Amino acid sequence: VVLDDGMRMAYISPAVRPALGVDPRSLFGENFSVLVDDTSHLRLAESIETITSGHNDELTRELQLIDTSGSLKWFEVHIADRRGDPDIGGIAINARDISERRSADEALRQNEARFKALVQHSSDLVAVLDEVGRFIYVSPSSQTLLGVDSEELIGQPAIDYIAPEQRNTVTIRIVSELEGKGVPQHMELHAVSIDGHPLILDATITDLSHDPAVGGVVINARDITVSHKLESDLRFAAYHD
């Protein structure tokens, strides 16, 4: 689209028909704002003012436009001052439909918010380890289980919180059974809190290092220390009654 000095559309490309379902001939002489949703009017006006006042020669904004059915679509709108170009002679606007990208971004944001809410309020420990076994993500429950704030754990070797007698076993099992498979494996971990308190964790370990959204080995662990002790006491009582 090219706008004249009165911000009226002096040229409209045929691409407006598939994009918004509008006959480009019907838009000739109309103000560009007729294509813009009310929520984006102020952003458009400010952008045009920035261009025409000489503060910027060009800029890009994301605006909502309206198609013939009344539906709103997100467009990345590039606005450039081409009034000095004899072949254009106006404000040039190029718009690209980004509705699908915006929808995907919003869905991702909602999923991340949902995951964050679930993890933050869960008593289970969720952690992600990098290729050398250091924490790159730890859920807030680490404070309750290990006595360490989750942010303080970032970059620390996870093996430091495993009981010394189990460290080799855990390392070998993760490397030999999980690398590249992405198949969840269950394991009973003997952990140690920051103050040396022993813990028994029922853990699920999954290698998702190949997944760019995760990029590491995921550990979901539930504290079963109390129940494990109770079962041991019951077994002992059964054979020593």
Side-chain angles (χ1 to χ4, degrees):
V1 175
V2 177
L3 308 182
D4 63 18
D5 289 338
M7 297 303 107
R8 296 177 296 266
M9 289 181 273
Y11 169 77
I12 308 98
S13 77
V16 73
R17 189 188 296 275
L20 298 175
V22 183
D23 184 343
R25 293 172 297 181
S26 68
L27 295 173
F28 185 79
E30 294 284 347
N31 193 292
F32 182 70
S33 63
V34 300
L35 297 175
V36 181
D37 179 61
D38 291 345
T39 59
S40 293
H41 274 175
L42 180 59
R43 195 178 304 117
L44 171 65
E46 291 174 342
S47 301
I48 295 295
E49 173 62 23
T50 299
I51 292 293
T52 56
S53 64
H55 288 97
N56 287 94
D57 289 334
E58 53 187 82
L59 51 78
T60 301
R61 295 287 186 268
E62 291 186 1
L63 306 175
Q64 282 188 297
L65 306 188
I66 312 169
D67 66 15
T68 51
S69 69
S71 299
L72 300 180
K73 293 184 175 181
W74 280 101
F75 281 79
E76 184 179 79
V77 179
H78 183 76
I79 307 171
D81 186 357
R82 297 292 182 264
R83 290 174 295 179
D85 186 333
D87 293 329
I88 299 177
I91 303 297
I93 296 179
N94 291 280
R96 180 170 62 92
D97 190 346
I98 58 170
S99 300
E100 289 188 5
R101 191 197 77 192
R102 290 282 301 219
S103 296
D105 289 346
E106 177 60 19
L108 177 61
R109 187 195 66 78
Q110 291 181 359
N111 286 337
E112 288 177 343
R114 187 178 300 113
F115 171 77
K116 185 176 181 179
L118 289 171
V119 168
Q120 286 185 333
H121 295 90
S122 173
S123 60
D124 291 355
L125 178 71
V126 179
V128 182
L129 313 182
D130 66 12
E131 68 277 3
V132 294
R134 295 171 302 199
F135 290 113
I136 56 176
Y137 170 81
V138 189
S139 65
S141 58
S142 65
Q143 181 67 61
T144 302
L145 289 178
L146 302 176
V148 186
D149 185 81
S150 58
E151 293 183 1
E152 294 180 20
L153 288 170
I154 302 302
Q156 291 193 37
I159 204 70
D160 287 354
Y161 293 88
I162 299 298
E165 65 273 13
Q166 199 190 28
R167 289 177 182 176
N168 286 340
T169 301
V170 171
T171 301
I172 292 171
R173 183 161 182 182
I174 289 177
V175 172
S176 64
E177 294 190 19
L178 297 182
E179 187 174 16
K181 293 183 179 180
V183 179
Q185 301 288 331
H186 295 282
M187 190 173 187
E188 192 173 277
L189 298 177
H190 292 233
V192 182
S193 67
I194 193 67
D195 60 4
H197 183 71
L199 300 166
I200 298 178
L201 306 177
D202 180 27
T204 300
I205 306 172
T206 310
D207 181 11
L208 294 179
S209 55
H210 59 283
D211 186 336
V214 181
V217 175
V218 180
I219 298 177
N220 290 271
R222 180 170 56 93
D223 186 3
I224 59 169
T225 307
V226 174
S227 60
H228 190 276
K229 184 178 185 306
L230 179 59
E231 290 177 6
S232 296
D233 290 346
L234 290 174
R235 283 195 298 268
F236 181 84
Y239 288 103
H240 297 83
D241 192 0

